[in-house]
Amino acid sequence: MKSPAVNQAMEILREMRQITGGNYPIQEKLEQIVALIARKMSADAANCYVAVDDYTLELFASYGFNAGVSHKVYMRYGEGLVGEVAQNNHSLAVADAWKHSKFSYKPELGEDNLKSFLGVPLIRWNRAVGVLTIQNHKIHNYSAAEIESLETVAMILSELLASDEMTEYKKELSRTRGQADREKVKGVSLSKGYGLGNAVVHRRRQAVTQIFAEDIQKELRRLEIAHQTMNEDLEKKFNSTRLGIGEHVEILDAYRMFAQDKGWYKKIADNVNGGLTAEAAVERAYEDMWKRLSGTTDTYLKERLHDLRDVADRLQSYLRGDYGAIENITSDDIIVVALSMGPADLMDYDYTKIRGLIIEDGTPTMHVAIVAKALGIPVVAKIKGIFSEIKTGELLAIDGNDGYVYQNPSALVQKRFHEKIAEKIRLQAKLEELRDKPSVTKDGKKINLSINVGLAFDLDYIASTNCDGVGLYRTEIPFMASEVMPDVERQQKYYQELMDKAGDKKVIFRSLDVGSDKLLPYWANMGEENPAIGWRSIRITLDRRAILRKQVRAFLRAADGKELNVMFPMISNLSEFEEAKETLLIELEKEKRRGRGVPRKVNVGLMIEVPALLFQLDAILKKADFISIGTNDLAQFIFACDRGNPRLTERYDVLSSPFLTMMGEIIEKADKYGVYCSVCGEMAGNPIEAMALIGLGYRNLSMSGSSFGRIKSMVRSANAEQLKDYIHTLLKSQKKSLRPQLISYACDHGIEIY
Ligand code: PEP
Ligand code: MG
């Protein structure tokens, strides 16, 4: 004899089979199925949620709730009772759902009168790919038989979810959503932030039509007037006090000098004297320079070519007399779209109105990107064909965090962008409010929060964030920005400036970390096949010892009378560390012999970036004064996954058991030896990841200045001891990512992770 549960399930399955075999759309089938289940199981309501990605469940069909809610309600894995069922891959029966700690009220559903809840997972390959629920108005203890019935039905429904019909339907849904947002296109983010505004297509270049001059004297006069007016205008534009100080101002100054360069002007005038029109002469001068420099792999010189192209285009527009055209913009919120662009072009617009910048041919080292970043303008680049597609006036939304551009965004997307922009303003205000509050968890654990410094404007974050120190000074950045290798005096000046700005705060200098993606303009590209694991970083400075000696001498001098902390990057074994440390100690002795002042104390540490070190950690910790974990490089080597390859960015997660277990072992050992240990890779600047690090026992985090406020509010809303317990349980899970669970944990425990 079959059990009542089996009988009930069999009855439902029989009718379900008729529905699934029917010749009508799958959406209708799902709706009929949930209605059938509710009816047969004497429930007042039923829902079917389907996973749309690794973290999200979408309501696909419902019965007994408000009309039209399908495809409008979303739940994270772990969120509410439905998310709980999906996350644990386990059925859940609750007599009074409202009293359950996990209950999450969704007003749009209209579930106010529903009390009891039964949810079962829709399982495929051991993973919940959806959730089926029934609910009742009255408080009701679902029996074992009812649970078994629903689980049996769920098995069959899972088959339907895995069918080709469903796969096609999901594809179709995402296609139509994409169309509603009229093309959401992916590019590369060069500056973070969100912006919404009307497109202004930046066109400057036009073909030169008249090549030969009819009257050379007249051409020379035209050239002189255009050149002079252009330079006067540049003076006015760049003298804005609102630009503040920093590297972007240096870039603009360099540009202005370029435009005033006498050699360049003379070349153009010579070309006119040779019979060309002023326009053709400008082009010829550019082409000559291009021929000389275009073969170079040198990024610095390439940037100079960009600047030259930009100045040439600017001069052309003055010759044509159409330079004022872009001032006739009425919108207060604009998104500039350009094929390519120089830093000065950006200043042609009222930059207080620029909400975003899209550069089809943009690169991260492009000067306009650096200037835009300093001005807080989001930038997205490398979207093929976007320049010719977008028309001036069109509404655009730009997501500089993930590198997306939405053309004519739907009302929903616009709403989301308005919220994100408002959120940013709120965050800014919050940061100011938090500035003088301690970075202490709810259970009283002090978390030292430092910032990473590289570009000149990063120095301003020391005061604005009121951080505990500078956990990483990337000394290679001033080396990269310089035209020649800076000598000891010049370096000392940079380091001194940082020490002065930091006052009593701890500063950690990192020795030159060049190579891989960080190339020096005055060094030829090595042309290595695998530069990330090539001759880079400490490998270069140990082989070219004079560079290291000079740099540590500059460190010692800049820290005269103070505490000096120096760390060496990309160390692969203890011997390399010892060699580097010895170089520093020899220089220290030399300085003393020279009768110079020296630091009050010198601490020497290293970065943990190469996995081999993890097998020599005890020996390292006996010798190092401190360690700092460069999770960017460490993760790329642990997962054998290029950190700069966009195709791989979401493939492996540092929030997974192997990586977190390793991080847990490092901090445990460092604590055992009493060695200061911090994290200075991107992990420390991302709230959810930093939260996991605190759970593992990390108490020193160093991040970019722009992430500081979010991390501080996360710290102040977290409980370190509770996190510790949770993370250690979580580490047992072998899922490819523990991110959804950690996000749910943060949401459930009121930890601010946004
Ligand atoms: C790292 O690798 O995590 C790190 C901080 O160094 P960089 O990003 O400068 O390589
Ligand atoms: Mg690194």
Side-chain angles (χ1 to χ4, degrees), residues 452 472 474 476 510 513 517-518 536 567 569-570 607-609 628-636 643 679-683:
N452 296 343
L472 166 65
R474 290 185 162 101
E476 60 278 5
R510 170 170 83 181
D513 185 24
D517 61 333
K518 291 182 261 189
R536 62 175 283 206
M567 68 179 174
M570 279 292 289
M607 290 188 74
I608 307 281
E609 295 179 292
S628 185
I629 308 174
T631 48
N632 309 339
D633 274 313
L634 185 57
Q636 86 164 332
R643 68 191 253 187
V679 176
C680 63
E682 294 301 312
M683 244 189 125

PDB file of all heavy atoms in Angstrom, residues 452 472 474 476 510 513 517-518 536 567 569-570 607-609 628-636 643 679-683, ligand 1:
ATOM      1  N   ASN A 452      46.746  52.801   1.059  1.00  0.00           N
ATOM      2  CA  ASN A 452      47.817  52.559   0.091  1.00  0.00           C
ATOM      3  C   ASN A 452      48.030  53.853  -0.685  1.00  0.00           C
ATOM      4  O   ASN A 452      47.060  54.499  -1.098  1.00  0.00           O
ATOM      5  CB  ASN A 452      47.416  51.451  -0.888  1.00  0.00           C
ATOM      6  CG  ASN A 452      47.220  50.113  -0.198  1.00  0.00           C
ATOM      7  OD1 ASN A 452      47.667  49.918   0.933  1.00  0.00           O
ATOM      8  ND2 ASN A 452      46.563  49.188  -0.876  1.00  0.00           N
ATOM      9  N   LEU A 472      51.049  50.770   2.627  1.00  0.00           N
ATOM     10  CA  LEU A 472      51.804  50.424   1.412  1.00  0.00           C
ATOM     11  C   LEU A 472      52.055  51.700   0.626  1.00  0.00           C
ATOM     12  O   LEU A 472      51.108  52.369   0.198  1.00  0.00           O
ATOM     13  CB  LEU A 472      50.982  49.442   0.552  1.00  0.00           C
ATOM     14  CG  LEU A 472      51.444  49.235  -0.899  1.00  0.00           C
ATOM     15  CD1 LEU A 472      52.811  48.586  -0.968  1.00  0.00           C
ATOM     16  CD2 LEU A 472      50.441  48.358  -1.677  1.00  0.00           C
ATOM     17  N   ARG A 474      53.578  52.594  -2.749  1.00  0.00           N
ATOM     18  CA  ARG A 474      54.066  51.986  -3.989  1.00  0.00           C
ATOM     19  C   ARG A 474      55.090  52.935  -4.616  1.00  0.00           C
ATOM     20  O   ARG A 474      54.731  53.790  -5.425  1.00  0.00           O
ATOM     21  CB  ARG A 474      52.909  51.755  -4.958  1.00  0.00           C
ATOM     22  CG  ARG A 474      51.939  50.666  -4.538  1.00  0.00           C
ATOM     23  CD  ARG A 474      50.906  50.433  -5.638  1.00  0.00           C
ATOM     24  NE  ARG A 474      50.223  49.165  -5.519  1.00  0.00           N
ATOM     25  CZ  ARG A 474      48.991  49.019  -5.019  1.00  0.00           C
ATOM     26  NH1 ARG A 474      48.324  50.066  -4.606  1.00  0.00           N
ATOM     27  NH2 ARG A 474      48.438  47.827  -4.966  1.00  0.00           N
ATOM     28  N   GLU A 476      57.130  52.697  -6.860  1.00  0.00           N
ATOM     29  CA  GLU A 476      57.376  52.675  -8.317  1.00  0.00           C
ATOM     30  C   GLU A 476      56.543  53.737  -9.049  1.00  0.00           C
ATOM     31  O   GLU A 476      56.888  54.130 -10.157  1.00  0.00           O
ATOM     32  CB  GLU A 476      57.077  51.292  -8.912  1.00  0.00           C
ATOM     33  CG  GLU A 476      55.652  50.772  -8.760  1.00  0.00           C
ATOM     34  CD  GLU A 476      55.396  50.138  -7.396  1.00  0.00           C
ATOM     35  OE1 GLU A 476      56.301  50.184  -6.547  1.00  0.00           O
ATOM     36  OE2 GLU A 476      54.281  49.633  -7.198  1.00  0.00           O
ATOM     37  N   ARG A 510      57.557  50.435   0.287  1.00  0.00           N
ATOM     38  CA  ARG A 510      57.870  49.212  -0.443  1.00  0.00           C
ATOM     39  C   ARG A 510      58.964  49.534  -1.447  1.00  0.00           C
ATOM     40  O   ARG A 510      58.871  50.542  -2.152  1.00  0.00           O
ATOM     41  CB  ARG A 510      56.627  48.706  -1.177  1.00  0.00           C
ATOM     42  CG  ARG A 510      56.954  47.591  -2.138  1.00  0.00           C
ATOM     43  CD  ARG A 510      55.728  46.928  -2.682  1.00  0.00           C
ATOM     44  NE  ARG A 510      55.161  47.653  -3.813  1.00  0.00           N
ATOM     45  CZ  ARG A 510      54.060  47.259  -4.435  1.00  0.00           C
ATOM     46  NH1 ARG A 510      53.411  46.192  -4.018  1.00  0.00           N
ATOM     47  NH2 ARG A 510      53.594  47.928  -5.458  1.00  0.00           N
ATOM     48  N   ASP A 513      58.901  48.113  -7.211  1.00  0.00           N
ATOM     49  CA  ASP A 513      58.194  46.901  -7.653  1.00  0.00           C
ATOM     50  C   ASP A 513      57.830  47.067  -9.129  1.00  0.00           C
ATOM     51  O   ASP A 513      56.656  47.156  -9.477  1.00  0.00           O
ATOM     52  CB  ASP A 513      56.933  46.727  -6.787  1.00  0.00           C
ATOM     53  CG  ASP A 513      56.194  45.434  -7.083  1.00  0.00           C
ATOM     54  OD1 ASP A 513      56.816  44.488  -7.572  1.00  0.00           O
ATOM     55  OD2 ASP A 513      54.980  45.380  -6.825  1.00  0.00           O
ATOM     56  N   ASP A 517      53.254  44.528 -15.341  1.00  0.00           N
ATOM     57  CA  ASP A 517      52.478  45.573 -16.014  1.00  0.00           C
ATOM     58  C   ASP A 517      52.977  46.965 -15.659  1.00  0.00           C
ATOM     59  O   ASP A 517      52.456  47.957 -16.155  1.00  0.00           O
ATOM     60  CB  ASP A 517      50.991  45.426 -15.641  1.00  0.00           C
ATOM     61  CG  ASP A 517      50.765  45.577 -14.149  1.00  0.00           C
ATOM     62  OD1 ASP A 517      51.703  45.280 -13.379  1.00  0.00           O
ATOM     63  OD2 ASP A 517      49.666  45.992 -13.753  1.00  0.00           O
ATOM     64  N   LYS A 518      53.984  47.063 -14.780  1.00  0.00           N
ATOM     65  CA  LYS A 518      54.453  48.397 -14.390  1.00  0.00           C
ATOM     66  C   LYS A 518      55.796  48.687 -15.054  1.00  0.00           C
ATOM     67  O   LYS A 518      56.840  48.221 -14.592  1.00  0.00           O
ATOM     68  CB  LYS A 518      54.567  48.468 -12.861  1.00  0.00           C
ATOM     69  CG  LYS A 518      53.206  48.425 -12.188  1.00  0.00           C
ATOM     70  CD  LYS A 518      53.305  48.536 -10.704  1.00  0.00           C
ATOM     71  CE  LYS A 518      53.210  47.200 -10.042  1.00  0.00           C
ATOM     72  NZ  LYS A 518      53.097  47.201  -8.612  1.00  0.00           N
ATOM     73  N   ARG A 536      61.200  40.761 -12.574  1.00  0.00           N
ATOM     74  CA  ARG A 536      60.440  41.893 -12.046  1.00  0.00           C
ATOM     75  C   ARG A 536      60.768  42.113 -10.572  1.00  0.00           C
ATOM     76  O   ARG A 536      61.363  41.258  -9.911  1.00  0.00           O
ATOM     77  CB  ARG A 536      58.919  41.678 -12.229  1.00  0.00           C
ATOM     78  CG  ARG A 536      58.369  40.480 -11.506  1.00  0.00           C
ATOM     79  CD  ARG A 536      56.848  40.370 -11.610  1.00  0.00           C
ATOM     80  NE  ARG A 536      56.174  41.310 -10.722  1.00  0.00           N
ATOM     81  CZ  ARG A 536      54.946  41.142 -10.225  1.00  0.00           C
ATOM     82  NH1 ARG A 536      54.247  40.073 -10.561  1.00  0.00           N
ATOM     83  NH2 ARG A 536      54.408  42.015  -9.422  1.00  0.00           N
ATOM     84  N   MET A 567      59.604  47.387   3.234  1.00  0.00           N
ATOM     85  CA  MET A 567      59.328  45.990   2.878  1.00  0.00           C
ATOM     86  C   MET A 567      59.713  45.724   1.425  1.00  0.00           C
ATOM     87  O   MET A 567      59.725  46.626   0.583  1.00  0.00           O
ATOM     88  CB  MET A 567      57.876  45.619   3.136  1.00  0.00           C
ATOM     89  CG  MET A 567      56.879  46.277   2.257  1.00  0.00           C
ATOM     90  SD  MET A 567      55.254  45.668   2.744  1.00  0.00           S
ATOM     91  CE  MET A 567      54.208  46.673   1.729  1.00  0.00           C
ATOM     92  N   PRO A 569      59.065  43.550  -2.071  1.00  0.00           N
ATOM     93  CA  PRO A 569      57.981  42.820  -2.764  1.00  0.00           C
ATOM     94  C   PRO A 569      58.478  41.577  -3.512  1.00  0.00           C
ATOM     95  O   PRO A 569      59.673  41.472  -3.806  1.00  0.00           O
ATOM     96  CB  PRO A 569      57.495  43.863  -3.772  1.00  0.00           C
ATOM     97  CG  PRO A 569      58.708  44.699  -4.070  1.00  0.00           C
ATOM     98  CD  PRO A 569      59.580  44.678  -2.844  1.00  0.00           C
ATOM     99  N   MET A 570      57.581  40.689  -3.809  1.00  0.00           N
ATOM    100  CA  MET A 570      57.836  39.506  -4.657  1.00  0.00           C
ATOM    101  C   MET A 570      59.010  38.650  -4.182  1.00  0.00           C
ATOM    102  O   MET A 570      59.732  38.056  -4.978  1.00  0.00           O
ATOM    103  CB  MET A 570      58.099  39.950  -6.113  1.00  0.00           C
ATOM    104  CG  MET A 570      56.850  40.235  -6.903  1.00  0.00           C
ATOM    105  SD  MET A 570      55.851  38.782  -7.245  1.00  0.00           S
ATOM    106  CE  MET A 570      56.857  37.919  -8.431  1.00  0.00           C
ATOM    107  N   MET A 607      56.771  41.305   1.552  1.00  0.00           N
ATOM    108  CA  MET A 607      55.401  41.015   1.121  1.00  0.00           C
ATOM    109  C   MET A 607      55.258  39.521   0.864  1.00  0.00           C
ATOM    110  O   MET A 607      56.169  38.893   0.324  1.00  0.00           O
ATOM    111  CB  MET A 607      55.072  41.779  -0.160  1.00  0.00           C
ATOM    112  CG  MET A 607      54.961  43.256   0.084  1.00  0.00           C
ATOM    113  SD  MET A 607      54.368  44.105  -1.364  1.00  0.00           S
ATOM    114  CE  MET A 607      52.632  43.652  -1.373  1.00  0.00           C
ATOM    115  N   ILE A 608      54.119  38.995   1.237  1.00  0.00           N
ATOM    116  CA  ILE A 608      53.834  37.591   0.931  1.00  0.00           C
ATOM    117  C   ILE A 608      53.005  37.608  -0.352  1.00  0.00           C
ATOM    118  O   ILE A 608      51.829  37.969  -0.338  1.00  0.00           O
ATOM    119  CB  ILE A 608      53.037  36.914   2.075  1.00  0.00           C
ATOM    120  CG1 ILE A 608      53.736  37.091   3.420  1.00  0.00           C
ATOM    121  CG2 ILE A 608      52.763  35.458   1.752  1.00  0.00           C
ATOM    122  CD1 ILE A 608      54.887  36.176   3.705  1.00  0.00           C
ATOM    123  N   GLU A 609      53.655  37.276  -1.448  1.00  0.00           N
ATOM    124  CA  GLU A 609      52.972  37.275  -2.747  1.00  0.00           C
ATOM    125  C   GLU A 609      53.254  35.991  -3.521  1.00  0.00           C
ATOM    126  O   GLU A 609      52.518  35.627  -4.429  1.00  0.00           O
ATOM    127  CB  GLU A 609      53.458  38.467  -3.589  1.00  0.00           C
ATOM    128  CG  GLU A 609      53.077  39.803  -2.985  1.00  0.00           C
ATOM    129  CD  GLU A 609      53.579  40.976  -3.802  1.00  0.00           C
ATOM    130  OE1 GLU A 609      54.818  41.165  -3.843  1.00  0.00           O
ATOM    131  OE2 GLU A 609      52.770  41.690  -4.389  1.00  0.00           O
ATOM    132  N   SER A 628      53.453  41.722   5.027  1.00  0.00           N
ATOM    133  CA  SER A 628      52.232  42.293   4.477  1.00  0.00           C
ATOM    134  C   SER A 628      51.824  41.427   3.288  1.00  0.00           C
ATOM    135  O   SER A 628      52.669  41.082   2.450  1.00  0.00           O
ATOM    136  CB  SER A 628      52.501  43.731   4.040  1.00  0.00           C
ATOM    137  OG  SER A 628      51.293  44.310   3.629  1.00  0.00           O
ATOM    138  N   ILE A 629      50.559  41.066   3.251  1.00  0.00           N
ATOM    139  CA  ILE A 629      50.142  40.114   2.216  1.00  0.00           C
ATOM    140  C   ILE A 629      49.594  40.845   0.996  1.00  0.00           C
ATOM    141  O   ILE A 629      48.620  41.600   1.088  1.00  0.00           O
ATOM    142  CB  ILE A 629      49.094  39.129   2.769  1.00  0.00           C
ATOM    143  CG1 ILE A 629      49.659  38.521   4.063  1.00  0.00           C
ATOM    144  CG2 ILE A 629      48.788  38.033   1.749  1.00  0.00           C
ATOM    145  CD1 ILE A 629      48.698  37.643   4.790  1.00  0.00           C
ATOM    146  N   GLY A 630      50.255  40.626  -0.122  1.00  0.00           N
ATOM    147  CA  GLY A 630      49.814  41.217  -1.395  1.00  0.00           C
ATOM    148  C   GLY A 630      48.868  40.224  -2.036  1.00  0.00           C
ATOM    149  O   GLY A 630      49.269  39.376  -2.829  1.00  0.00           O
ATOM    150  N   THR A 631      47.602  40.316  -1.681  1.00  0.00           N
ATOM    151  CA  THR A 631      46.650  39.290  -2.149  1.00  0.00           C
ATOM    152  C   THR A 631      46.417  39.344  -3.657  1.00  0.00           C
ATOM    153  O   THR A 631      45.980  38.367  -4.235  1.00  0.00           O
ATOM    154  CB  THR A 631      45.303  39.428  -1.413  1.00  0.00           C
ATOM    155  OG1 THR A 631      44.924  40.811  -1.445  1.00  0.00           O
ATOM    156  CG2 THR A 631      45.403  38.957   0.014  1.00  0.00           C
ATOM    157  N   ASN A 632      46.732  40.485  -4.292  1.00  0.00           N
ATOM    158  CA  ASN A 632      46.518  40.556  -5.746  1.00  0.00           C
ATOM    159  C   ASN A 632      47.450  39.571  -6.450  1.00  0.00           C
ATOM    160  O   ASN A 632      47.017  38.759  -7.267  1.00  0.00           O
ATOM    161  CB  ASN A 632      46.791  41.963  -6.283  1.00  0.00           C
ATOM    162  CG  ASN A 632      46.063  43.031  -5.512  1.00  0.00           C
ATOM    163  OD1 ASN A 632      45.077  42.738  -4.852  1.00  0.00           O
ATOM    164  ND2 ASN A 632      46.535  44.260  -5.574  1.00  0.00           N
ATOM    165  N   ASP A 633      48.732  39.657  -6.105  1.00  0.00           N
ATOM    166  CA  ASP A 633      49.676  38.739  -6.731  1.00  0.00           C
ATOM    167  C   ASP A 633      49.544  37.338  -6.153  1.00  0.00           C
ATOM    168  O   ASP A 633      49.584  36.354  -6.889  1.00  0.00           O
ATOM    169  CB  ASP A 633      51.112  39.256  -6.559  1.00  0.00           C
ATOM    170  CG  ASP A 633      51.471  40.231  -7.669  1.00  0.00           C
ATOM    171  OD1 ASP A 633      51.195  39.910  -8.837  1.00  0.00           O
ATOM    172  OD2 ASP A 633      51.986  41.321  -7.381  1.00  0.00           O
ATOM    173  N   LEU A 634      49.356  37.259  -4.835  1.00  0.00           N
ATOM    174  CA  LEU A 634      49.267  35.932  -4.218  1.00  0.00           C
ATOM    175  C   LEU A 634      48.120  35.123  -4.850  1.00  0.00           C
ATOM    176  O   LEU A 634      48.280  33.957  -5.192  1.00  0.00           O
ATOM    177  CB  LEU A 634      49.060  36.071  -2.702  1.00  0.00           C
ATOM    178  CG  LEU A 634      49.064  34.760  -1.915  1.00  0.00           C
ATOM    179  CD1 LEU A 634      50.356  33.981  -2.120  1.00  0.00           C
ATOM    180  CD2 LEU A 634      48.863  35.010  -0.420  1.00  0.00           C
ATOM    181  N   ALA A 635      46.974  35.776  -5.063  1.00  0.00           N
ATOM    182  CA  ALA A 635      45.828  35.060  -5.647  1.00  0.00           C
ATOM    183  C   ALA A 635      46.132  34.648  -7.084  1.00  0.00           C
ATOM    184  O   ALA A 635      45.793  33.541  -7.503  1.00  0.00           O
ATOM    185  CB  ALA A 635      44.573  35.922  -5.594  1.00  0.00           C
ATOM    186  N   GLN A 636      46.804  35.531  -7.838  1.00  0.00           N
ATOM    187  CA  GLN A 636      47.070  35.152  -9.232  1.00  0.00           C
ATOM    188  C   GLN A 636      48.011  33.955  -9.303  1.00  0.00           C
ATOM    189  O   GLN A 636      47.902  33.107 -10.177  1.00  0.00           O
ATOM    190  CB  GLN A 636      47.558  36.330 -10.072  1.00  0.00           C
ATOM    191  CG  GLN A 636      49.013  36.647 -10.092  1.00  0.00           C
ATOM    192  CD  GLN A 636      49.385  37.580 -11.264  1.00  0.00           C
ATOM    193  OE1 GLN A 636      48.733  37.589 -12.314  1.00  0.00           O
ATOM    194  NE2 GLN A 636      50.444  38.345 -11.095  1.00  0.00           N
ATOM    195  N   ARG A 643      46.000  38.139 -13.198  1.00  0.00           N
ATOM    196  CA  ARG A 643      45.133  39.119 -12.527  1.00  0.00           C
ATOM    197  C   ARG A 643      44.590  40.187 -13.461  1.00  0.00           C
ATOM    198  O   ARG A 643      43.623  40.869 -13.155  1.00  0.00           O
ATOM    199  CB  ARG A 643      45.874  39.769 -11.347  1.00  0.00           C
ATOM    200  CG  ARG A 643      47.017  40.660 -11.746  1.00  0.00           C
ATOM    201  CD  ARG A 643      47.882  41.053 -10.554  1.00  0.00           C
ATOM    202  NE  ARG A 643      47.708  42.436 -10.151  1.00  0.00           N
ATOM    203  CZ  ARG A 643      48.449  43.038  -9.236  1.00  0.00           C
ATOM    204  NH1 ARG A 643      49.414  42.377  -8.616  1.00  0.00           N
ATOM    205  NH2 ARG A 643      48.249  44.284  -8.934  1.00  0.00           N
ATOM    206  N   VAL A 679      47.252  43.059   5.536  1.00  0.00           N
ATOM    207  CA  VAL A 679      46.882  42.739   4.155  1.00  0.00           C
ATOM    208  C   VAL A 679      46.823  44.063   3.409  1.00  0.00           C
ATOM    209  O   VAL A 679      46.167  45.009   3.859  1.00  0.00           O
ATOM    210  CB  VAL A 679      45.499  42.044   4.079  1.00  0.00           C
ATOM    211  CG1 VAL A 679      45.097  41.801   2.631  1.00  0.00           C
ATOM    212  CG2 VAL A 679      45.519  40.736   4.836  1.00  0.00           C
ATOM    213  N   CYS A 680      47.540  44.150   2.281  1.00  0.00           N
ATOM    214  CA  CYS A 680      47.518  45.418   1.546  1.00  0.00           C
ATOM    215  C   CYS A 680      47.021  45.237   0.101  1.00  0.00           C
ATOM    216  O   CYS A 680      47.037  46.169  -0.680  1.00  0.00           O
ATOM    217  CB  CYS A 680      48.883  46.091   1.568  1.00  0.00           C
ATOM    218  SG  CYS A 680      50.151  45.109   0.760  1.00  0.00           S
ATOM    219  N   GLY A 681      46.600  44.018  -0.260  1.00  0.00           N
ATOM    220  CA  GLY A 681      46.035  43.812  -1.601  1.00  0.00           C
ATOM    221  C   GLY A 681      44.592  44.288  -1.634  1.00  0.00           C
ATOM    222  O   GLY A 681      44.032  44.697  -0.602  1.00  0.00           O
ATOM    223  N   GLU A 682      43.959  44.190  -2.814  1.00  0.00           N
ATOM    224  CA  GLU A 682      42.587  44.683  -2.992  1.00  0.00           C
ATOM    225  C   GLU A 682      41.588  44.067  -2.004  1.00  0.00           C
ATOM    226  O   GLU A 682      40.564  44.664  -1.686  1.00  0.00           O
ATOM    227  CB  GLU A 682      42.090  44.391  -4.413  1.00  0.00           C
ATOM    228  CG  GLU A 682      42.813  45.146  -5.513  1.00  0.00           C
ATOM    229  CD  GLU A 682      42.719  46.643  -5.364  1.00  0.00           C
ATOM    230  OE1 GLU A 682      41.611  47.136  -5.147  1.00  0.00           O
ATOM    231  OE2 GLU A 682      43.771  47.306  -5.442  1.00  0.00           O
ATOM    232  N   MET A 683      41.899  42.860  -1.541  1.00  0.00           N
ATOM    233  CA  MET A 683      40.984  42.174  -0.613  1.00  0.00           C
ATOM    234  C   MET A 683      40.646  43.038   0.597  1.00  0.00           C
ATOM    235  O   MET A 683      39.525  43.009   1.107  1.00  0.00           O
ATOM    236  CB  MET A 683      41.682  40.914  -0.094  1.00  0.00           C
ATOM    237  CG  MET A 683      41.025  39.641  -0.471  1.00  0.00           C
ATOM    238  SD  MET A 683      41.791  38.275   0.399  1.00  0.00           S
ATOM    239  CE  MET A 683      40.335  37.573   1.175  1.00  0.00           C
TER     240      MET A 683
HETATM  241  C1  PEP B   1      49.489  42.899  -4.338  1.00  0.00           C
HETATM  242  O1  PEP B   1      50.052  42.193  -5.175  1.00  0.00           O
HETATM  243  O2  PEP B   1      48.492  42.545  -3.689  1.00  0.00           O
HETATM  244  C2  PEP B   1      49.987  44.258  -4.056  1.00  0.00           C
HETATM  245  C3  PEP B   1      49.508  44.989  -3.072  1.00  0.00           C
HETATM  246  O3  PEP B   1      50.931  44.741  -4.894  1.00  0.00           O
HETATM  247  P1  PEP B   1      50.596  45.357  -6.339  1.00  0.00           P
HETATM  248  O4  PEP B   1      49.119  45.376  -6.499  1.00  0.00           O
HETATM  249  O5  PEP B   1      51.215  46.707  -6.356  1.00  0.00           O
HETATM  250  O6  PEP B   1      51.272  44.356  -7.220  1.00  0.00           O
END
